[in-house]
Structures are given as structure tokens and as C-alpha cells.
Amino acid sequence: MNKNFKSLPFCLIAFFLVCSLNVSAQKKHEIFRQEIDKIITASKSDVGVAIMSLEDKETFLFNEGHKYPMQSVYKFPLAMAVLDQVDKGKLSLNQKIHVTKKDLLPKTWSPLREKYPNGEVDIKVSELIGYAVANSDNNACDLLFRLVGGPKKVDQYIHSLGIKSIAIATTEEEMSKAWNVQFKNWCKPRAMLRLLDLFYKGKNLSKASTNFLMKTMTETTTGPNKIKGLLPKNTKVAHKTGMSGTNEQGITAASNDVGIITLPNGEHVAVVIFLAHTKLDEKSRDAVMAKISKQAYDYFLAKK
């Protein structure tokens, strides 16, 4: 009997097994999409979501075409721009910046101001990044903007990385003066997902700068109930949150969280959640993000 003929049954078994696995994977993929759609629909809000395995690149996008106000999420690309200047030798993490009382605006979120209410203190660049990213400090943010030449310079840097569907146009001080200014700083979910992927790969920043920012984002104190809300305790999440105020009509313009989740198996999932134009209270907004994040965590962990 022909040798190839003898092997045919095994080949058929292998073929049908592969087909079965592919069908199963496709079904799980679709079920996951449906679960995220349900969460978004139930929120009765404008929710943009982008999720990707940073190892095998499987990606899910929801409402990807919308321009979402970033609020403090833009402190993540700002930190990347500052660290790019560090890598080029134009700045140093140990470089000290003199902070005056005039720099510490009173009517804005600022743990830096709370610690140094009278200013007149020298703060390292590394500390300013920590305040801006991990504590979402608005005064530290604007000090960093001035250090690199303003929002336009940060915008140009991010665009130079090939990330186009994002706009960084105003400072925190400018955003605080009028409701509509916040919409000048926008991003599409896919663009932020690509930025997280580039950051994770460490191709645009040095290894030292990548590790520094990853550690800083892991130490984020804001938004503990957003992406991290339903994840197992001690799950490593490097993330940046952002949130607007609520206007007289009860509308919150933005409640966001973007970051990288480390799974127990050591692999990573990038998650971008922009929740906009909503009447949900803060607890409910956080719950929407936590549910989406937990679905992603469970899906990619089970996949492996």
C-alpha cells in the first residue's frame, strides 16, 4: 500500500482537529465582542474601546472612529516626549527645576502644591514626571510642557512616531478656563492602542526610559476602580487615567483609563477605554471600565 495513503487518516484527523480549534477560537472571539458590546450598550454612554494582546496582536476595536477628549491621559504621551529629550541628552532626570508659588495654580488638582504650598523649591525632572503621571498632577504637567516647548512640540513628537489620530493642543491651565477647551486634546482608541504598543516595544525610548515610565505608570494612584477595579489583587497594571468635571446638565465629558495589564502567564494586554458624554456617576463609570477590563483579562488568559 502506498505510504502516503497509509498516512491519510492521520492527516485527516489533524486537519479536522485544526479546523475544530479554529472554529472554537472564532466563536470565543465573537462571544467576547458580544460581551463588550453589551457592556457599552448598557452604559448608555459614548464608549470607545481598543484591546490588544501585545504578544500575538489579536485586536478588538469598538467605536474606533470617534475623537475622544483625553483629559489627563495625555500626560502619558507628554511623559514620553520628556523622556525622548532625556534620551537625546537635552534633559536629565536628575535635572532640577525651580518651582515658584506662581507655578502652583490654586484651583486645580495638584498634590505637588499640597506638599509645597509656598513653592520656591527645586524639583527633579524625574519627580515632576512622577507627580504628573502617577498622581495626575496638573501643575507638574504644565511645568513639563514648558520644559519641552509646549503642547505643540509634544503633538509633533507623537505624530513623528506615526501616531496621527491624536491631538495635543492645550495645557491643563487652559483646559481649566473653559469647558470646550478639553475637546482640543483628543484621541481615537486605535491611536492610543498603537502608542501603548510602541511604548511596550521600547523602540522609541531607551530601555532605561521605558522602564522608568513603565514603573511610574504602575505606581499610578488615581482611578483604582477603573481598569484595575475587578482584576485579581496585585495584578500589575501600568496605566494613566483621565477625568473631566461634570457640567450643569449633569454631563461628564470624559472618564478614561488606558494601560498595559500583565497576565499571570507573563503576557500583556493593552487596554484603552474612553468613556465620554455620560450622565453616569463616577462609581458607575468606573464599573463600566472595570467590567470591560475584566472581560479582556479573562479572554486572553483563557486563550493561553
Side-chain angles (χ1 to χ4, degrees):
M1 186 180 290
N2 185 283
K3 185 177 180 181
N4 290 333
F5 182 77
K6 283 184 177 180
S7 65
L8 185 59
F10 174 78
C11 291
L12 284 173
I13 290 171
F15 173 76
F16 286 120
L17 179 60
V18 169
C19 288
S20 176
L21 289 172
N22 285 338
V23 170
S24 177
Q26 290 171 5
K27 185 176 181 180
K28 289 178 181 177
H29 182 102
E30 186 55 35
I31 290 173
F32 176 68
R33 284 199 63 88
Q34 291 171 0
E35 290 302 316
I36 301 300
D37 276 327
K38 287 178 185 177
I39 296 169
I40 291 173
T41 300
S43 75
K44 297 180 180 180
S45 305
D46 184 359
V47 185
V49 177
I51 300 168
M52 179 171 68
S53 164
L54 294 178
E55 275 72 31
D56 69 19
K57 306 306 178 185
E58 183 177 7
T59 303
F60 297 86
L61 300 167
F62 304 83
N63 297 323
E64 61 170 310
H66 296 194
K67 296 179 179 180
Y68 292 92
M70 284 187 287
Q71 279 289 333
S72 288
V73 165
Y74 81 160
K75 293 167 184 170
F76 162 53
L78 166 61
M80 290 180 66
V82 174
L83 289 169
D84 176 66
Q85 295 296 299
V86 170
D87 289 342
K88 291 175 178 175
K90 296 179 180 180
L91 295 173
S92 165
L93 286 179
N94 290 322
Q95 179 179 338
K96 291 186 177 182
I97 306 301
H98 187 68
V99 180
T100 68
K101 188 170 184 177
K102 187 178 179 181
D103 294 322
L104 301 173
L105 303 181
K107 296 181 180 180
T108 192
W109 170 256
S110 181
L112 177 64
R113 184 195 61 239
E114 296 304 310
K115 185 172 183 178
Y116 304 106
N118 296 316
E120 305 309 326
V121 61
D122 294 327
I123 304 292
K124 290 182 180 180
V125 170
S126 60
E127 292 179 84
L128 285 177
I129 295 174
Y131 273 108
V133 175
N135 303 125
S136 208
D137 191 293
N138 293 336
N139 285 321
C141 172
D142 285 356
L143 284 162
L144 291 173
F145 269 132
R146 288 173 219 159
L147 198 59
V148 295
K152 185 176 180 179
K153 290 292 185 181
V154 177
D155 190 63
Q156 290 172 345
Y157 166 70
I158 298 300
H159 286 185
S160 75
L161 302 178
I163 310 297
K164 304 300 183 182
S165 296
I166 185 172
I168 300 170
T170 70
T171 63
E172 285 285 358
E173 181 180 4
E174 290 167 332
M175 276 201 289
S176 70
K177 292 179 178 179
W179 175 263
N180 287 332
V181 175
Q182 66 185 299
F183 300 106
K184 294 181 179 180
N185 300 312
W186 58 265
C187 186
K188 294 183 179 180
R190 184 198 291 267
M192 186 56 65
L193 190 69
R194 287 190 62 207
L195 189 60
L196 286 168
D197 186 33
L198 282 175
F199 167 62
Y200 172 75
K201 289 175 181 174
K203 290 186 176 180
N204 57 293
L205 295 176
S206 68
K207 184 175 181 180
S209 288
T210 299
N211 290 342
F212 170 78
L213 184 51
M214 188 73 76
K215 181 176 182 293
T216 302
M217 292 172 70
T218 303
E219 295 170 349
T220 290
T221 59
T222 57
N225 298 315
K226 297 184 188 315
I227 284 179
K228 296 178 69 173
L230 294 175
L231 300 184
K233 189 177 180 180
N234 297 323
T235 299
K236 183 180 176 181
V237 182
H239 65 127
K240 184 69 200 81
T241 62
M243 187 173 70
S244 74
T246 302
N247 67 15
E248 294 177 356
Q249 289 73 44
I251 301 293
T252 300
S255 189
N256 310 321
D257 202 0
V258 310
I260 298 170
I261 301 169
T262 300
L263 300 176
N265 61 12
E267 296 196 353
H268 304 83
V269 180
V271 178
V272 175
I273 308 173
F274 293 137
L275 199 160
H277 313 298
T278 180
K279 287 191 174 182
L280 294 176
D281 60 23
E282 184 174 2
K283 184 177 179 180
S284 299
R285 297 193 302 267
D286 287 357
V288 170
M289 286 182 264
K291 289 174 184 176
I292 291 171
S293 174
K294 184 61 162 59
Q295 286 286 339
Y297 179 96
D298 290 344
Y299 173 80
F300 284 104
L301 186 59
K303 183 179 174 182
K304 300 301 179 182

